[in-house]
Amino acid sequence: MRGLTDSGRGTLQAAFTAVAVLAALALFVSACATGGTGARDEGPARAPSDAVAGAAVSPSPSPSSSKAPAHVNGVKLVKDDPSVSAEVKRDLKPCVADEYPVDVSYGELTGGSADDVVVNVLTCGDAVGVGSYVYRQEGGRYENVFKAEEPPVYAEIDRGDLVVTKQVYEKGDPVSSPSAEIVTTYGWTAGRFVKRYNTRNDYSNAVGGGASPSS
């Protein structure tokens, strides 16, 4: 560019500067138009189906879809049940004020339209189970479909099965230290509970001894 005068070179340099400013301004306007906020917006693109699949995997729970029944009065269930022994009913009294030794739990055991109710009746002093019962809702009423009244006994719901634990005491065993326990698992089949299997756990009398399960 040897033929340019000082004024020519100044004019050409001003033109280059103006072009650079316009290019920078165009880039800034383009970034604003896309709503970008810098590196925080960058990341892998997700197809619309990804969002739908995520919603399907973990849907929001609906209160109307719950099978849990309204609060059940376990004491009234037991006392009104003609299949419960007179002895259990007679001994079912409050321990303190109006607090009865009754445990009530809910869960699906029989595949009914509402959750089943498991009621365990205990003693006040040692909390020894004296009776375990399962109630299934039928036509707005609760029907007794299982009972065990050979103390000490306790029934629980475990992954859709009914699990009944009976403590075994040998002569001289204190209430707090049974010699063994027998755990029986029942499943609902053809309208009744059927025993699937049981396990016996024998406990060591030695200090620090553990349970040794046997058939």
Side-chain angles (χ1 to χ4, degrees), residues 7-145:
S7 61
R9 283 197 297 268
T11 301
L12 186 59
Q13 188 174 15
F16 286 156
T17 301
V19 171
V21 170
L22 288 175
L25 181 60
L27 184 61
F28 175 78
V29 171
S30 175
C32 291
T34 58
T37 56
R40 290 176 297 174
D41 287 341
E42 295 179 359
R46 288 203 311 175
S49 58
D50 290 342
V52 175
V57 170
S58 53
S60 300
S62 172
S64 60
S65 63
S66 174
K67 293 178 63 176
H71 176 73
V72 172
N73 187 329
V75 175
K76 180 173 174 54
L77 267 183
V78 170
K79 288 191 171 183
D80 291 347
D81 186 353
S83 66
V84 175
S85 69
E87 183 180 3
V88 171
K89 290 182 179 180
R90 183 179 63 249
D91 294 339
L92 182 53
K93 299 176 182 179
C95 297
V96 178
D98 60 347
E99 295 294 327
Y100 285 82
V102 171
D103 289 346
V104 181
S105 56
Y106 308 91
E108 184 173 341
L109 288 171
T110 67
S113 59
D115 278 351
D116 303 294
V117 182
V118 176
V119 181
N120 287 286
V121 180
L122 315 171
T123 61
C124 287
D126 301 312
V128 173
V130 296
S132 298
Y133 312 93
V134 178
Y135 294 92
R136 170 185 167 93
Q137 192 179 79
E138 289 284 354
R141 301 176 62 253
Y142 285 101
E143 175 187 358
N144 186 320
V145 292

